[in-house]
Amino acid sequence: MASKSMDYECSRSAAHADTVVEFLQRNIFEEDLESIPGVGPACADVLHKNEMETPVQVLAKFLSFATSDRTQEDMCQAFYEYLKSLNIRGNVHTIVFSISSLADHKG
C-alpha cells in the first residue's frame, strides 16, 4: 500500500483553473517544458535528463501508463509515482493534473 505522501490527489494541485485552461489552449508542439503548470527550471532539468524535452513527450510518458484495465485515476497515480521517483521537487500534483487534463482535452 502506498504511503500517504505517495498518493496523488488532484485537489492538491496548486494551479489556478485559468492557468490550466490557458495551458490546454496552447499549441504544445511549440511550447517548452516550463509551459506546463508546475514545471520550473529545476523540474525541467530533471525531465530533460530523463529524455523528455517537450510537453508532447511528457504527455507521451503519461499515456505510457495506460492499460486496458487502468482508469485515468490509476494512470495519474502511476505517473505521480514515476515523477516522484525522479526526485522532482515542487508540486507534482500540479504537473500530473495538468498533463492528465491535457490528455483528456486532446482526447
Side-chain angles (χ1 to χ4, degrees):
M1 175 188 259
S3 69
K4 188 69 173 166
S5 64
M6 288 299 289
D7 287 342
Y8 168 71
E9 296 177 35
C10 65
S11 64
R12 295 191 64 196
S13 170
H16 294 283
D18 58 339
T19 302
V20 176
V21 168
E22 181 181 312
F23 170 66
L24 297 178
Q25 293 173 341
R26 293 181 181 161
N27 180 348
I28 61 169
F29 292 96
E30 298 176 354
E31 297 292 327
D32 61 21
L33 289 172
E34 291 181 46
S35 70
I36 302 169
V39 175
C43 179
D45 286 345
V46 172
L47 294 172
H48 282 294
K49 290 175 185 171
N50 286 277
E51 301 180 9
M52 288 174 274
E53 303 288 328
T54 67
V56 174
Q57 290 172 323
V58 178
L59 175 61
K61 187 63 176 180
F62 172 78
L63 293 173
S64 75
F65 293 102
T67 62
S68 62
D69 62 339
R70 270 197 174 151
T71 65
Q72 186 168 0
E73 184 177 322
D74 294 337
M75 287 174 59
C76 287
Q77 180 63 38
F79 187 56
Y80 175 82
E81 291 172 5
Y82 168 73
L83 292 176
K84 293 296 272 187
S85 77
L86 300 179
N87 293 318
I88 290 179
R89 304 287 184 241
N91 196 336
V92 178
H93 300 273
T94 299
I95 300 167
V96 174
F97 179 74
S98 298
I99 295 299
S100 173
S101 296
L102 181 63
D104 189 50
H105 179 70
K106 297 295 183 184

